[in-house]
């Protein structure tokens, strides 16, 4: 079984959506994949995903309401095969705390897709619903290319 940890800043907008989408695509493709999500920051520990992420994903039949925010920890680097960052700040923070003995591939989630703003998933937190729709569309295409690469 392959294990992937999706990571953003607060673990309430992008990475819970990325987990829901990866699980949905893995099921559709018959892949044996375990996915969790985490944040680099501690502000939202224990919280549900943002209501706008929940609504956007619900519109395509994906329920993310069982998720609760948590912060990344050192053990994650030994547990997961892939730790995927949503933006370059998340990636820099992950590289900073990654233990030398880590087994995880720590990469930008969007790095296997061309043309998406250097692989970054824009933070929709301070914007409106349109930003969450754009995030969903972007995450679907990124997740597809990520899985094609990870299982090639
Ligand atoms: P996320 O979005 O990293 O995609 O979960 C954010 C959520 C909360 C905050 C920033 C980004 N915040 O500053 O509280």
């Amino acid at each position: 079984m392959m294990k992937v940890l999706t990571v953003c800043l607060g673990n309430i907008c992008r990475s819970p959506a990325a987990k829901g989408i990866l699980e949905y695509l893995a099921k559709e493709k018959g892949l044996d994949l375990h996915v969790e999500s985490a944040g680099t920051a501690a502000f939202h520990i224990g919280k549900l995903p943002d209501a706008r992420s929940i609504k956007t994903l619900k519109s395509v039949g994906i329920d993310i309401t069982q998720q609760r925010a948590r912060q990344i920890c050192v053990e994650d680097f030994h547990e997961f095969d892939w730790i995927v960052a949503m933006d370059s700040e998340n990636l820099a923070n992950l590289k900073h705390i990654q233990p030398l003995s880590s087994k995880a591939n720590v990469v930008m989630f969007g790095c296997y897709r061309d043309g998406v703003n250097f692989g970054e998933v824009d933070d929709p937190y301070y914007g409106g619903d349109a930003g969450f729709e754009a995030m969903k569309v972007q995450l679907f295409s990124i997740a597809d290319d990520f899985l094609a690469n990870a299982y090639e």
Side-chain angles (χ1 to χ4, degrees):
M1 183 201 281
M2 194 179 292
K3 291 180 156 190
V4 180
L5 182 66
T6 63
V7 177
C8 61
L9 176 63
N11 192 209
I12 55 170
C13 299
R14 292 166 291 174
S15 57
K19 167 175 152 74
I21 289 168
L22 277 173
E23 288 172 341
Y24 174 88
L25 292 175
K27 191 169 174 195
E28 195 179 68
K29 297 170 194 289
L31 303 173
D32 192 14
L33 185 70
H34 172 80
V35 192
E36 293 182 28
S37 75
T40 57
F43 334 119
H44 298 290
I45 290 172
K47 286 194 196 156
L48 273 164
D50 187 286
R52 297 165 295 176
S53 274
I54 291 174
K55 184 177 152 203
T56 302
L57 279 264
K58 194 177 168 199
S59 74
V60 288
I62 300 175
D63 179 12
I64 58 168
T65 59
Q66 74 291 351
Q67 293 192 53
R68 296 294 180 272
R70 73 168 176 89
Q71 191 174 25
I72 184 138
C73 60
V74 165
E75 290 72 30
D76 290 324
F77 290 90
H78 303 295
E79 179 71 19
F80 289 89
D81 302 295
W82 294 90
I83 298 180
V84 296
M86 297 299 127
D87 64 35
S88 53
E89 191 181 313
N90 305 150
L91 185 64
N93 285 326
L94 289 171
K95 295 273 189 194
H96 188 67
I97 59 170
Q98 179 176 20
L100 279 175
S101 58
S102 159
K103 76 161 184 178
N105 291 302
V106 182
V107 298
M108 193 93 93
F109 191 31
C111 72
Y112 302 104
R113 180 157 197 90
D114 294 330
V116 273
N117 192 20
F118 307 107
E120 299 200 67
V121 182
D122 292 332
D123 188 348
Y125 185 66
Y126 295 105
D129 286 348
F132 282 82
E133 276 301 306
M135 171 197 76
K136 178 189 74 189
V137 171
Q138 196 183 359
L139 283 175
F140 262 101
S141 58
I142 284 174
D144 223 18
D145 286 354
F146 171 79
L147 289 175
N149 174 77
Y151 283 92
E152 87 182 347

